[in-house]
């Protein structure tokens, strides 16, 4: 039997920077499938030589009109590359990722030729828009809801990143529960293990707190910084370094806040780090920070902390509680003073840090690791891919 040919498409991040997509691609290749990825250009896109990458120059937008131009450009570029993928290697299954939920426009025509479609539903575009612009009304918000529903209904199957997002898919998409599978976003077990701490990463301080990941306006970075401001300037804890590792739209605003509040001696923004650099950082840190306020978002930062036995402080929102309960200190939503106080308490208490860290690492190994999550993922792709092949043998597929 021919290998299943899978096309993965994502708009807002390159393959080299998308942890989830890299895991998808690697799992598919290991299962003997042929994998092509369409995404924006990045030097790290070709780290896996077994994955064919068709990429295009990014055109990042700023503001609502800028985002519209960005999406129009990426949709046009992806359309050309999709045609190339179909005619140069073939496609049996196409997987499109949120956000933004625009690639159903490319997936829908492929269904006419009996290609099977998966929607990887990992973020909620309307909620991200609301968090970014403070509005759950207007033309743009309603358009995002329509795009989301179209993406859900176009898909033969939906991969939801957590149970909350699965409920949204069923309720807002109006699709049957049998068409939605939860596929989490935990780390590979092979990436875990004891690493030696790197004292230089503490920048001369006795303690280190870290935040690792994307930093957009919806990610609560402002709340984490407000907590640090309280911790340093009100509580007087000046023996702790804070490293915010990653990229995102909110970084310039965060850097301004640090300068304006006299926190530059303690807070640093090293930018995007390699995987090994991130792992060194997590192996050295004392406390992780997860300031997300979104109920439906899977706390990927939290799972990375847990994988390395790193306790973390977070706001008590639904998915963070599900993932991190027993491995974290949860505080009332939006309470930056409580957030600061819990950081202080953990820094002071190595025994509590060790207790929470051990519980987190145990939870990742037993429940959240990608090694476990890839099982239902591969099962869905194989079922859809084989269905396409069977249909083709029957004479009705292109």
């Amino acid at each position: 039997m021919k290998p299943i040919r899978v096309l993965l498409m994502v708009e807002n991040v390159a393959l080299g920077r998308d942890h989830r997509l890299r895991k998808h691609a690697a799992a598919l290749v290991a299962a003997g499938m042929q994998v092509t990825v369409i995404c924006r250009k990045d030097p790290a896109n070709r780290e896996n030589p077994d994955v064919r990458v068709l990429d295009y120059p990014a055109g990042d937008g700023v503001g609502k009109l800028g985002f519209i131009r960005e999406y129009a450009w990426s949709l046009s570029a992806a359309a050309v590359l999709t045609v190339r993928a179909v005619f140069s290697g073939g496609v049996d299954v196409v997987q499109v990722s949120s956000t933004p939920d625009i690639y159903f426009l490319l997936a829908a025509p492929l269904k006419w030729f009996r290609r099977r479609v998966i929607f990887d539903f990992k973020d909620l575009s309307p909620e991200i828009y609301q968090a970014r612009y403070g509005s759950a009304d207007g033309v743009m918000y309603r358009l995002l809801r329509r795009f989301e529903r179209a993406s859900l209904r176009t898909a033969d199957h939906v991969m939801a990143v957590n149970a909350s997002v699965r409920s949204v898919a069923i309720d807002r998409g109006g699709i049957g529960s049998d068409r939605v599978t939860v596929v989490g976003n935990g780390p590979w077990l092979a990436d875990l293990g004891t690493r030696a701490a790197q004292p230089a990463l503490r920048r001369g301080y006795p303690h280190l707190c870290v935040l690792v990941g994307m930093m957009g306006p919806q990610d609560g970075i402002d709340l984490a910084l407000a907590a640090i401001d309280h911790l340093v300037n009100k509580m007087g804890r000046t023996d702790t370094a804070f490293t915010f590792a990653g990229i995102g739209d909110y970084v310039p605003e965060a850097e301004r806040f640090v300068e304006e509040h006299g926190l530059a001696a303690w807070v640093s923004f090293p930018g995007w780090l390699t995987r090994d650099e991130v792992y060194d950082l997590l192996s050295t840190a004392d406390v992780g920070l997860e300031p997300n306020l979104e109920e439906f978002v899977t706390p990927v930062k939290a799972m990375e902390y847990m994988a390395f036995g790193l306790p973390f402080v977070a706001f008590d929102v639904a998915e963070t509680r599900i993932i991190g309960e027993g491995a974290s200190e949860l505080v009332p939503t939006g309470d930056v003073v409580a957030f600061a106080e819990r950081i202080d308490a953990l820094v002071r208490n190595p025994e509590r840090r060790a207790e929470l860290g051990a519980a987190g690492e145990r939870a990742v190994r037993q429940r959240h690791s990608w090694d476990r999550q890839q099982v239902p993922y591969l099962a869905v792709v194989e079922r859809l891919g084989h269905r396409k092949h069977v249909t083709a043998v029957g004479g009705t597929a292109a």
Side-chain angles (χ1 to χ4, degrees):
M1 182 178 292
K2 292 182 179 179
I4 298 171
R5 300 163 298 180
V6 184
L7 174 62
L8 308 176
M9 303 173 65
V10 63
E11 191 281 332
N12 66 335
V13 65
L15 172 65
R17 296 176 184 256
D18 189 330
H19 298 291
R20 182 173 174 85
L21 195 66
R22 287 208 309 268
K23 286 179 285 196
H24 286 179
L28 295 170
V29 167
M33 303 185 202
Q34 294 180 1
V35 180
T36 300
V37 177
I38 293 176
C39 64
R40 54 179 58 196
K41 283 186 179 294
D42 188 272
N45 278 351
R46 288 167 175 80
E47 286 183 349
N48 188 335
D50 295 318
V51 176
R52 182 173 69 149
V53 179
L54 305 177
D55 49 12
Y56 56 89
D60 290 323
V62 178
K64 296 179 183 179
L65 291 178
F67 285 127
I68 292 174
R69 287 193 293 269
E70 172 193 332
Y71 300 157
W73 157 245
S74 66
L75 189 65
S76 300
V80 172
L81 294 175
T82 298
V83 173
R84 178 180 167 186
V86 170
F87 285 98
S88 66
V91 173
D92 300 311
V93 178
V94 57
Q95 174 181 304
V96 297
S97 300
S98 63
T99 57
D101 306 331
I102 55 175
Y103 280 178
F104 74 91
L105 294 169
L106 304 180
L110 291 176
K111 291 192 68 173
W112 300 339
F113 298 96
R114 302 296 193 271
R115 272 59 179 182
R116 304 300 180 183
V117 175
I118 294 171
F119 180 46
D120 185 29
F121 196 24
K122 56 186 180 180
D123 295 303
L124 306 183
S125 290
E127 278 73 11
I128 291 175
Y129 177 87
Q130 181 180 357
R132 183 182 289 267
Y133 297 109
S135 173
D137 198 6
V139 174
M140 185 61 70
Y141 182 85
R142 290 194 293 272
L143 191 62
L144 291 174
R145 287 290 294 265
R146 288 180 179 272
F147 284 172
E148 177 187 82
R149 182 175 174 84
S151 297
L152 292 166
R153 295 182 71 83
T154 297
D156 294 289
H157 205 87
V158 176
M159 303 290 195
V161 73
N162 58 48
S164 298
V165 170
R166 180 179 186 272
S167 296
V168 171
I170 295 169
D171 294 341
R172 296 208 305 225
I175 59 178
S177 60
D178 59 327
R179 287 175 54 192
V180 188
T181 299
V182 174
V183 176
N185 199 21
W188 285 105
L189 288 179
D191 290 339
L192 308 187
T194 303
R195 285 184 173 230
Q198 304 295 318
L201 296 176
R202 297 180 183 274
R203 307 196 304 278
Y205 292 96
H207 306 291
L208 173 65
C209 298
V210 298
L211 185 148
V212 175
M214 299 299 291
M215 290 183 274
Q218 72 278 3
D219 292 317
I221 307 303
D222 56 332
L223 299 175
L225 290 173
I228 294 169
D229 179 39
H230 183 85
L231 189 66
V232 172
N233 292 322
K234 298 290 177 62
M235 298 178 66
R237 176 160 288 282
T238 58
D239 62 350
T240 303
F242 298 87
T243 298
F244 286 65
I247 57 175
D249 297 344
Y250 195 76
V251 172
E253 182 67 26
E255 291 175 329
R256 281 192 292 272
F257 181 97
V258 166
E259 289 296 329
E260 291 170 359
H261 290 78
L263 298 172
W266 296 277
V267 182
S268 71
F269 296 88
W272 184 263
L273 302 181
T274 66
R275 181 173 59 182
D276 281 337
E277 289 171 332
V278 169
Y279 291 169
D280 284 342
L281 191 64
L282 296 176
S283 299
T284 304
D286 300 296
V287 178
L289 309 179
E290 173 51 287
N292 168 60
L293 292 179
E294 297 176 284
E295 296 283 346
F296 297 102
V297 171
T298 291
V300 177
K301 296 181 182 72
M303 281 194 286
E304 290 192 335
Y305 302 152
M306 292 163 64
F308 283 82
L310 181 64
F312 63 97
V313 178
F315 292 118
D316 189 4
V317 294
E319 285 298 325
T320 302
R321 186 187 320 116
I322 292 170
I323 294 294
E325 191 167 25
S328 63
E329 294 283 9
L330 300 177
V331 303
T333 303
D335 189 338
V336 297
V337 173
F339 202 96
E341 291 172 346
R342 292 298 178 90
I343 295 172
D344 181 68
L346 277 182
V347 168
R348 292 176 184 275
N349 190 340
E351 292 79 13
R352 178 63 173 165
R353 296 202 305 269
E355 176 189 346
L356 295 176
E361 187 172 359
R362 189 164 54 249
V364 168
R365 291 185 179 278
Q366 295 177 354
R367 298 194 302 276
H368 304 309
S369 71
W370 176 247
D371 305 66
R372 295 180 180 275
Q373 299 298 323
Q374 70 175 337
V375 174
Y377 173 68
L378 290 173
V380 171
V381 177
E382 289 172 353
R383 175 170 57 80
L384 293 179
H386 288 316
R387 182 188 297 171
K388 191 270 178 186
H389 281 308
V390 170
T391 306
V393 171
T396 60

